[in-house]
Amino acid sequence: MSNPLPLNKIPLKQLPDKKISKASHAKASSSKVYTRRIHGFYQRLRRLVSAPLLLAFFLLPWISIDQRPAIFLDISARKFHIFWLTFWPQDGLLLAWLLIISAFLLFAVTVWVGRVWCGFSCPQTIWTQMFIWIEDKCEGDRRSRIKLDAKAWDVEKLLRKSSKHILWWLLAFCTSATFIGYFYDIRELVNDIVRIEVATDTVFWTGFFTLATYINAGWMREQVCKHMCPYARFQSVMYDKNTKVVSYDANRGDSFIDATSGLSLNKNSVQDNSAIAIKRLPRSATLDHKAAGLGDCIDCSWCVQVCPVDIDIRDGLQADCINCGLCVDACDSIMDKINYPRGLIRFASEVELDNKKTSKNKTRLPSPRFMGYSILLLVITGLFVAQLMSRTPLEAGIARDRGVNLYRERGENIENVYLLRLGNMSRNAQNYQVSVSPPYYLKSRREIFLEEGEIFSLPLRVALNKSEVQQMKQKIVFKITSLTDNSIALEKTSSFISPSSLLKDSKQ
């Protein structure tokens, strides 16, 4: 970049200094955010991600599997039905594994591409976008909404505002009713609402979640992400130099102006930073901005206007940024219009932006932190799957009956009495058969029928011929098998007690 021109010789529309002060930024953050409608790759990607999640959320309570909802969290019965599986309080360890997996998955994704969870799949973001879409359809685009809020109340404003809030309340109610449907059969809930026979607690929770959805997605919006979400507070701890986040390429976009001479400068030739003012300048479309020493940013402010959390990405990495990519789409659309190359704002790591210090090949290598999280995630996921696959929908416990003697001598046999506790954790009624390992044999009931979720204690009398006694305390194995479902089987071990006198007689 040679022979930079003085600013008064460059056909610029205006020369504002767009470096935002903290006071003006705080004032802008407290005002209402009017987001501009934008189209682009990341906007389409957000729809592709959010559409299946929304369909799953609203449809799963209506899908029946084994005559119950596909996902039904039955709190009163203390059991969770997840597709073809039923989980009980005894399966709490699986829930702990699942939470650990979710945490490490979040950590790994954050190290790799920042807060994309917040920008593409967080419920707060998805519902906020739906509420903004309704607002856009009822009140118009960004400029129309600003004008509508500024004008005095009239019939048009009343109709537009009322229609928006009615649709907001309707969407909030549908969201609340669907959420309640995961805990209370959605068909029964709808029938109760139609007949106006809803229980008081159901009315309370439906109203509570309706109000919460309306306030969070309709009014608070970005305030939830900026001030209430804990993820925004600690996500920067997981970032490293290879984390890809939405970034503004200041080396390419900024114009560097000598504060004393008014000349535009090449950043590489800057010696005294104290004498430099950074300006982002509008300019004529016919201007050769490279020859003039200007950056690619034309200060259109579209990246700010589309931001759902009301930040200026050109100010650098900020905790409020949710990596939604809307500013990338906005900037790319402007670059296309003025025939500048795309990527002034893009997903990029610190290493990629600092091309002077690090080669491009090094940026392709995964960071040690990402590899560590990924390895831990694979190990924990493997353990979780292994435990889930080996899970048996049968709970059994065997203990000696303390209400009787340790053993009984009945002729040529020694008898021990046990108490077997069985719990049917499957989704259907089961008929169980109990057996013991030879040379032991049962002298009591061998079969028991249990309904789904039923728990029953069964006394068992086990006999052993005196000639088979080898030790005073011997191992015995109880096997419980379902006659209804052959895949359900469980073994429990205990001890069989014999009198010591038999051992002395055998020695003599």
Side-chain angles (χ1 to χ4, degrees), residues 281-319:
L281 305 170
R283 76 287 306 265
S284 170
T286 59
L287 172 68
D288 186 357
H289 69 291
K290 294 294 184 182
L294 299 178
D296 285 357
C297 181
I298 65 171
D299 199 33
C300 63
S301 75
W302 273 40
C303 58
V304 181
Q305 295 177 25
V306 300
C307 182
V309 292
D310 190 32
I311 64 171
D312 190 343
I313 193 62
R314 296 173 297 178
D315 292 342
L317 180 63
Q318 299 162 66

Side-chain angles (χ1 to χ4, degrees), residues 19-74:
K19 195 168 184 181
I20 302 175
S21 65
K22 292 183 178 180
S24 62
H25 181 72
K27 182 178 180 181
S29 300
S30 62
S31 60
K32 182 178 178 180
V33 179
Y34 297 90
T35 56
R36 176 187 286 271
R37 185 191 312 159
I38 192 67
H39 301 283
F41 171 77
Y42 290 105
Q43 183 72 340
R44 292 192 298 271
L45 182 60
R46 293 177 76 193
R47 287 196 293 267
L48 289 175
V49 171
S50 60
L53 296 176
L54 285 172
L55 286 175
F57 174 77
F58 284 107
L59 293 181
L60 280 176
W62 295 94
I63 299 175
S64 295
I65 297 178
D66 295 340
Q67 298 180 348
R68 57 170 64 94
I71 297 181
F72 184 51
L73 311 178
D74 194 348

Side-chain angles (χ1 to χ4, degrees), residues 422 424 426 428-434 445-451 480-486 488:
L422 289 179
N424 181 12
S426 68
N428 303 297
Q430 300 288 338
N431 188 25
Y432 297 104
Q433 183 182 58
V434 183
R445 183 179 177 183
R446 302 181 181 211
E447 294 186 9
I448 179 172
F449 180 83
L450 296 180
E451 295 287 350
I480 304 98
T481 306
S482 173
L483 301 177
T484 310
D485 185 351
N486 294 331
I488 302 177

